[in-house]
Amino acid sequence: MENCIFCSIISEKIPAQIVYTDEQVVAFKDIHPAAPVHILVIPRRHIESVNVVQAQDETLLGHMVNVAGIIARQQGLEHKGYRLVINTGPDSGQTVFHIHLHILGGRKMPFRFDEE
Ligand code: AMP
Ligand code: ZN
């Protein structure tokens, strides 16, 4: 998709610190890390957000979670834990409209869903 920053990373038009790739997904370090470990897992296929996910995408989305676990273990996060986030739409603060799974770890995650 033209004018998509994450499609540009996939096609190597713009650089990224890539930590994992396979035939379905690419994972790279977030440019503005919100935690000591902050990695994004994205599908090679452009999907705008969870809002447009269809049944045919279930295997791909499941693979993204599996890859997130592989990366988290590689980063040594398996015991202390980590958070996986998919922001969707304006209220979530989604800024890049190519679906992505945030892996956040290496510090306590203070935010709970009952807090402002
Ligand atoms: P979201 O708010 O869920 O849409 O998250 C988008 C994330 O992409 C943010 O955490 C940004 O810091 C990150 N980001 C934007 N551009 C780049 C880039 N060129 N390389 C790496 N991460 C990026
Ligand atoms: Zn894209």
Side-chain angles (χ1 to χ4, degrees), residues 5-6 28-32 40 87 93-96 100 102:
I5 195 154
F6 287 177
F28 51 91
K29 293 187 180 176
D30 196 291
I31 204 165
H32 293 124
L40 305 175
N87 291 319
Q94 184 180 5
T95 57
V96 178
H100 50 282
H102 294 255

Side-chain angles (χ1 to χ4, degrees), residues 89-100:
D91 273 0
S92 74
Q94 184 180 5
T95 57
V96 178
F97 289 84
H98 179 132
I99 199 168
H100 50 282

Side-chain angles (χ1 to χ4, degrees), residues 9-31:
I9 287 173
I10 289 163
S11 61
E12 297 178 0
K13 280 192 208 126
I14 68 162
Q17 285 186 273
I18 291 172
V19 299
Y20 177 97
T21 65
D22 65 25
E23 68 287 350
Q24 294 182 80
V25 302
V26 175
F28 51 91
K29 293 187 180 176
D30 196 291
I31 204 165

Side-chain angles (χ1 to χ4, degrees), residues 8 35 46 51 58 61 77 116:
S8 298
H46 181 92
N51 267 338
E58 284 180 3
L61 272 286
L77 297 175
E116 279 302 306

Side-chain angles (χ1 to χ4, degrees), residues 2-116:
E2 269 193 49
N3 300 322
C4 171
I5 195 154
F6 287 177
C7 283
S8 298
I9 287 173
I10 289 163
S11 61
E12 297 178 0
K13 280 192 208 126
I14 68 162
Q17 285 186 273
I18 291 172
V19 299
Y20 177 97
T21 65
D22 65 25
E23 68 287 350
Q24 294 182 80
V25 302
V26 175
F28 51 91
K29 293 187 180 176
D30 196 291
I31 204 165
H32 293 124
V37 177
H38 190 172
I39 291 166
L40 305 175
V41 182
I42 69 173
R44 288 185 181 274
R45 182 156 59 82
H46 181 92
I47 300 172
E48 194 174 291
S49 79
V50 171
N51 267 338
V52 297
V53 165
Q54 298 181 315
Q56 67 191 37
D57 305 320
E58 284 180 3
T59 306
L60 177 57
L61 272 286
H63 183 63
M64 286 169 62
V65 173
N66 182 31
V67 166
I70 291 168
I71 292 168
R73 291 191 290 278
Q74 281 174 350
Q75 297 284 330
L77 297 175
E78 70 270 37
H79 298 301
K80 287 203 147 185
Y82 47 93
R83 181 169 287 174
L84 303 182
V85 174
I86 303 180
N87 291 319
T88 306
D91 273 0
S92 74
Q94 184 180 5
T95 57
V96 178
F97 289 84
H98 179 132
I99 199 168
H100 50 282
L101 186 60
H102 294 255
I103 306 168
L104 293 152
R107 68 165 172 84
K108 276 257 186 213
M109 301 289 154
F111 173 76
R112 306 297 308 184
F113 300 110
D114 53 0
E115 291 172 358
E116 279 302 306

